[in-house]
Amino acid sequence: MKACVSCGKTSGKPVWREQDVDIVRCGGCGLVYTNLEGDVAETFWKEPKPEKLDQEDFYWDTARAAVYDEVLDLLEPEKRAEGGEPARILDIGCGKGFFLKRAADRGWEAHGLELSPHAVKFAKEKLGLRHVAMGRVENVAFRARMFRVITLWDVIEHLADPGPILRKSAELLAEDGLLFIQTPNIGFHLPYAHLKRLVGRVTNSRKARKHQLEAKHHLVQFTRESLAGMLRRSAFKDVTFQVLRPIESVAGSRSERLAAAKGAYVSVARRIFGATGGRVMLANTLHAFARRGDVPPPKPFKAPR
Ligand SMILES: [Zn+2]
């Protein structure tokens, strides 16, 4: 059994199996993770075919416009907190830069990192974003505390261990700077996968039995509690959650009816979240905000022998 990357325990119990891989839940902290070694981040992004680019742009920009704007509304007070300094935002795994473009239009100094060369080229040439570079945040020489806000849209679930990115983000954030994370809510997706598998058995549909939990792409999956725990272990504090606007499509599906059903579901989840004072989180996606806490000083550099 692979050790839990959040709390280190090896007491995971299988909760789901697909594509010949077990998904387990940690007995220590509740993290749900694929019992598979390795990091597939570099291979996750499939360079789209040119004829697919228009659809991709729809998915990543138009479909998400509402949630991007909602997050930028929530981040607006952070920008003012910088006084005269340019307020810098860093989007790690920025894709083609659609979120950053919106941030730049609102006056943020917008920085982005991305693993796909195609996406970096698009962000720079088509969207005119000057501070977008290819690479991993752990290897890029940013100044400590240079960002007011760091965002991670659908990134951490693809990493075998999000710890290094989270700890690096804490170092790069200004005192009391803010981290925003969007990631799937396994508290929703696991029961939903069971339901779909059951429906698939009853209706004998092969489609419904396939990889519902993306075992080989989503290597760690969080509930509100397990994400808050991992953030606190990674030098963050004051973790809060919001139910934000759903994206106006469903990943991997062109069905407008499915998208409408999803939108209606999230609206209900949002109302329940509000009515229960944030205690009941039924949304399919987690939107977390956390402040930089006390970051331990970096370890002294030791030259390799
Ligand atoms: Zn754990």
Side-chain angles (χ1 to χ4, degrees):
M1 176 67 60
K2 191 184 161 191
C4 170
V5 294
S6 185
C7 74
K9 293 211 165 74
T10 50
S11 54
K13 294 268 183 323
V15 290
W16 184 259
R17 186 171 173 82
E18 66 181 33
Q19 297 178 288
D20 301 323
V21 186
D22 278 328
I23 294 178
V24 301
R25 184 191 283 122
C26 173
C29 71
L31 181 73
V32 172
Y33 60 97
T34 302
N35 192 23
L36 188 74
E37 301 288 343
D39 184 347
V40 296
E42 280 93 350
T43 58
F44 169 65
W45 180 283
K46 304 269 191 303
E47 294 288 338
K49 294 193 175 104
E51 64 269 22
K52 280 205 166 171
L53 280 176
D54 290 347
Q55 293 169 358
E56 288 273 320
D57 290 351
F58 168 78
Y59 183 67
W60 295 111
D61 189 31
T62 316
R64 289 184 161 190
V67 69
Y68 284 166
D69 284 338
E70 191 169 16
V71 168
L72 287 167
D73 286 345
L74 291 166
L75 296 179
E76 199 63 24
E78 303 298 314
K79 196 166 70 190
R80 281 183 229 117
E82 285 299 85
E85 281 279 296
R88 298 186 194 92
I89 189 168
L90 171 64
D91 189 21
I92 302 173
C94 66
K96 290 180 176 174
F98 293 117
F99 170 71
L100 279 182
K101 176 72 171 76
R102 286 172 180 271
D105 289 347
R106 288 183 178 222
W108 286 92
E109 189 181 293
H111 294 251
L113 285 175
E114 170 54 45
L115 295 177
S116 160
H118 168 80
V120 170
K121 192 166 182 282
F122 184 97
K124 289 184 138 174
E125 292 177 7
K126 296 273 170 34
L127 301 186
L129 294 164
R130 286 190 295 135
H131 310 292
V132 170
M134 209 177 100
R136 287 171 169 271
V137 70
E138 301 94 310
N139 307 331
V140 177
F142 287 123
R143 253 190 313 116
R145 305 182 187 208
M146 88 176 255
F147 296 103
R148 186 70 224 163
V149 170
I150 293 180
T151 54
L152 287 158
W153 291 89
D154 297 315
V155 170
I156 59 169
E157 65 271 20
H158 299 287
L159 305 172
D161 181 4
I165 272 198
L166 295 176
R167 289 190 293 275
K168 186 71 190 179
S169 297
E171 279 174 41
L172 294 177
L173 276 173
E175 208 65 54
D176 232 28
L178 195 66
L179 178 75
F180 166 78
I181 291 178
Q182 170 174 298
T183 191
N185 178 11
I186 192 66
F188 168 87
H189 286 285
L190 184 58
Y192 187 55
H194 277 293
L195 178 69
K196 280 209 286 192
R197 187 169 274 181
L198 183 70
V199 169
R201 280 201 187 115
V202 172
T203 60
N204 206 20
S205 152
R206 294 195 67 187
K207 200 176 155 212
R209 280 185 245 153
K210 282 169 70 187
H211 43 95
Q212 282 111 359
L213 293 182
E214 303 288 347
K216 291 182 179 172
H217 283 309
H218 291 181
L219 303 181
V220 286
Q221 308 204 51
F222 296 91
T223 59
R224 191 168 56 149
E225 293 76 16
S226 63
L227 181 55
M230 185 157 198
L231 284 167
R232 283 193 288 267
R233 281 187 281 274
S234 309
F236 286 93
K237 62 179 182 181
D238 303 342
V239 184
T240 57
F241 291 85
Q242 301 250 6
V243 179
L244 301 181
R245 298 271 299 272
I247 60 169
E248 288 169 12
S249 72
V250 176
S253 169
R254 298 262 154 243
S255 164
E256 284 177 20
R257 262 200 301 177
L258 197 59
K262 182 183 166 186
Y265 177 82
V266 178
S267 299
V268 170
R270 189 174 172 132
R271 262 180 239 140
I272 291 172
F273 185 77
T276 60
R279 283 192 301 278
V280 180
M281 166 64 77
L282 299 174
N284 60 332
T285 305
L286 294 173
H287 294 108
F289 296 81
R291 293 271 168 209
R292 174 196 157 119
D294 294 326
V295 178
K299 292 193 185 95
F301 178 72
K302 266 196 209 152
R305 294 182 190 203

